Amino acid sequence: MSGPDERAVIDLLTKGELTVRGQVREASNAVLLCSVAHAGEEVSCVYKPVAGERPLWDFPDGTLAQREVAAYELSEATGWGLVPPTVLRDGPYGEGMVQLWIEADPSANLLALTEDERAAEGWKAVGPAQIGEDRTALLVHADSPDLRRLAVLDAVINNGDRKGGHLLPAADGRLYAIDHGVTFNVDDKLRTLLWGWAGEELPAEAAEVLDRLQGSLAPGTPLTTRLAELLTAAEVDALRGRVSALRAGGRHPEPSGQWPAIPWPPV
């Protein structure tokens, strides 16, 4: 999403009155389903208050909401619009992340298990998955341009938790991705289900986007100034380093082998 409509949504998310409607109980952090209304407009949204964040050993306390907003800013800088409009604002339970609610299309299939040894046409293999005491299947994901763009974005923001449930294919055919709290670490944390292109040459489109990002992340640019409000200086420097390394290498990253490459649970 980009353009005038998105600016209107950002304005609504920022200025509107938040009303809590429910809670996602299975989430590890506080995730509240809300409506936000302003000037006669109303939309559904998700509100994640900083006060409801569970402490993590490898991320500073109280920073997950900022990272969600930073992921949105990077997504917008790529021009791919993969992250729903997201803002940082005060709410009923204090400061938190507020993000436009995206209704996923239940008929869209992005992940699958197959007993075939190889991925079929239109799919990319992730790896074997245990489906019983003595049965395994091949986990595959769709070989789609939007998923491939998301794999590049995840490498840029150093996403440590790209699960299947974070992929939201909308009814209009667009793909959105959510839950970006564990991103932008200075250490390599990439854990994802989107390993199907690992080691493959980056598409020309991705190379062009990385070229633009290198310029957009120069000191003093609007993007860098905005990210400095959300991340530490070391994290912004590490972000620049990942973009440069990806562009220079010209290939999708591969698992490091130093830790599990797929998040748990995977969905």
Side-chain angles (χ1 to χ4, degrees):
M1 181 181 297
S2 60
D5 288 344
E6 180 168 6
R7 288 194 291 271
V9 171
I10 289 291
D11 192 59
L12 177 56
L13 294 176
T14 302
K15 299 177 181 177
E17 180 180 357
L18 274 177
T19 302
V20 177
R21 304 295 187 187
Q23 181 176 5
V24 179
R25 296 288 182 180
E26 61 269 21
S28 56
N29 298 300
V31 179
L32 304 177
L33 304 180
C34 300
S35 63
V36 58
H38 178 69
E41 299 292 333
E42 183 173 346
V43 295
S44 297
C45 62
V46 173
Y47 165 47
K48 297 182 182 180
V50 172
E53 294 179 4
R54 177 173 56 88
L56 300 173
W57 69 269
D58 51 351
F59 285 85
D61 291 350
T63 66
L64 304 190
Q66 290 96 315
R67 295 170 195 279
E68 296 247 28
V69 178
Y72 165 72
E73 298 288 353
L74 254 294
S75 171
E76 289 302 289
T78 65
W80 290 332
L82 292 167
V83 179
T86 311
V87 303
L88 191 68
R89 57 161 288 178
D90 195 34
Y93 299 100
E95 186 179 60
M97 180 279 283
V98 176
Q99 185 176 79
L100 180 68
W101 173 265
I102 301 296
E103 194 69 43
D105 180 359
S107 67
N109 294 317
L110 298 177
L111 296 166
L113 289 169
T114 176
E115 295 189 4
D116 295 337
E117 293 184 359
R118 299 183 179 216
E121 185 177 355
W123 295 86
K124 301 291 286 187
V126 179
Q130 195 77 27
I131 59 173
E133 289 188 5
D134 50 8
R135 289 184 61 207
T136 60
L138 183 66
L139 176 64
V140 297
H141 63 65
D143 186 8
S144 81
D146 276 340
L147 275 186
R148 192 165 192 176
R149 293 173 186 130
L150 183 58
V152 174
L153 178 65
D154 281 342
V156 167
I157 67 177
N158 197 15
N159 193 350
D161 193 35
R162 174 58 71 212
K163 297 175 180 175
H166 301 166
L167 306 174
L168 302 181
D172 63 1
R174 291 196 53 178
L175 174 69
Y176 293 95
I178 60 171
D179 284 352
H180 297 103
V182 287
T183 51
F184 297 101
N185 201 298
V186 295
D187 298 322
D188 184 2
K189 296 283 185 180
L190 186 59
R191 288 189 292 270
T192 176
L193 288 179
L194 304 180
W195 287 116
W197 300 281
E200 293 187 16
E201 186 175 351
L202 291 171
E205 176 197 34
E208 292 172 3
V209 165
L210 292 171
D211 282 340
R212 291 203 308 271
L213 276 183
Q214 283 184 311
S216 298
L217 289 169
T221 63
L223 178 59
T224 299
T225 300
R226 176 60 176 142
L227 291 176
E229 300 170 353
L230 303 165
L231 306 170
T232 68
E235 288 166 343
V236 175
D237 284 342
L239 168 62
R240 289 194 189 99
R242 288 191 299 273
V243 171
S244 296
L246 272 174
R247 184 65 187 94
R251 294 184 177 277
H252 286 272
E254 298 182 79
S256 69
Q258 298 177 357
W259 56 80
I262 293 176
W264 185 261
V267 177

